[in-house]
Amino acid sequence: ILNVEQSPQSLHVQEGDSTNFTCSFPSSNFYALHWYRWETAKSPEALFVMTLNGDEKKKGRISATLNTKEGYSYLYIKGSQPEDSATYLCAFEDSDTGNQFYFGTGTSLTVIP
Amino acid sequence: DSGVTQTPKHLITATGQRVTLRCSPRSGDLSVYWYQQSLDQGLQFLIQYYNGEERAKGNILERFSAQQFPDLHSELNLSSLELGDSALYFCASSVEGQGDEQYFGPGTRLTVT
């Protein structure tokens, strides 16, 4: 079983603050890194799928970077809003075990108005 | 609404019983994934099907089985149920599979008493 770690476990920020969190994954057998946004009582919603080292992706105020050589990805939220409050989950797609998915435990973000 | 449907929404059954969870992917998606979210664990990947064939297998118990039918809907069969099988079961779909964005259904809440 591969280890995917996310930090911090939880985060409280003020509205308007920018924030970032980390997903660490094995640097071997990489196929893709997925980021999801998961609101309470809803289903995970795909944010990004990142496949190439050095990838940077952006969707509105949210962006992500990828370093496959050292095994980490950062998710950034610029100017946090209360509606950004959710758990942000990353998943490592492994090329060695037939493209299995290994999820981190998530970073819970609360944006205080 | 992701376009992925799952039935039933809730299921309550007794230990030792067998249940079937159903998933219809988004129109045009060929891949279906099954995930389990237990209280004490994060999201666990169970199995993936692509166009009717098993593509990747995760931590799926031998008591569990799945299949994808010619119309691309999928069923997850859980048998000899134990209390520890109580969880939220999600289905997701994507266009092809590897490295694709996944769209999650609303989930089926299974309670084993």
Side-chain angles (χ1 to χ4, degrees), chain A residues 1 31-32 34 36 38 42-49 51 59 89 93 97-101 103, chain B residues 33 35 37 43-45 48 55-59 88 90 97-102 104-107:
Chain A
I1 295 180
Y31 192 90
H34 299 248
Y36 296 92
W38 196 355
K42 293 190 177 179
S43 309
E45 175 195 342
L47 286 173
F48 305 112
V49 181
T51 54
K59 194 181 276 191
L89 209 57
E93 187 176 350
T97 54
N99 290 87
Q100 288 194 45
F101 291 82
F103 284 82
Chain B
Y33 310 77
Y35 296 95
Q37 194 215 0
L43 208 51
Q44 300 284 321
F45 167 67
Q48 179 201 356
R55 180 175 261 184
K57 205 166 185 174
N59 294 327
L88 189 52
F90 284 108
Q98 294 166 300
D100 270 352
E101 210 165 80
Q102 294 182 26
F104 278 73

Side-chain angles (χ1 to χ4, degrees), chain A residues 14-61:
Chain A
Q14 291 292 135
E15 183 175 351
D17 286 351
S18 294
T19 187
N20 66 85
F21 14 97
T22 308
C23 173
S24 301
F25 51 86
S27 55
S28 57
N29 302 321
F30 176 88
Y31 192 90
L33 194 281
H34 299 248
W35 279 103
Y36 296 92
R37 182 173 179 275
W38 196 355
E39 286 182 74
T40 305
K42 293 190 177 179
S43 309
E45 175 195 342
L47 286 173
F48 305 112
V49 181
M50 309 181 80
T51 54
L52 297 175
N53 185 42
D55 248 358
E56 288 190 30
K57 295 214 170 179
K58 189 174 178 183
K59 194 181 276 191
R61 294 178 291 98

Side-chain angles (χ1 to χ4, degrees), chain A residues 4-7 21-25 33-35 71-75 89-92 104:
Chain A
V4 178
E5 293 182 356
Q6 291 188 248
S7 61
F21 14 97
T22 308
C23 173
S24 301
F25 51 86
L33 194 281
H34 299 248
W35 279 103
Y72 64 84
S73 175
Y74 294 137
L75 190 79
L89 209 57
C90 69
F92 171 76

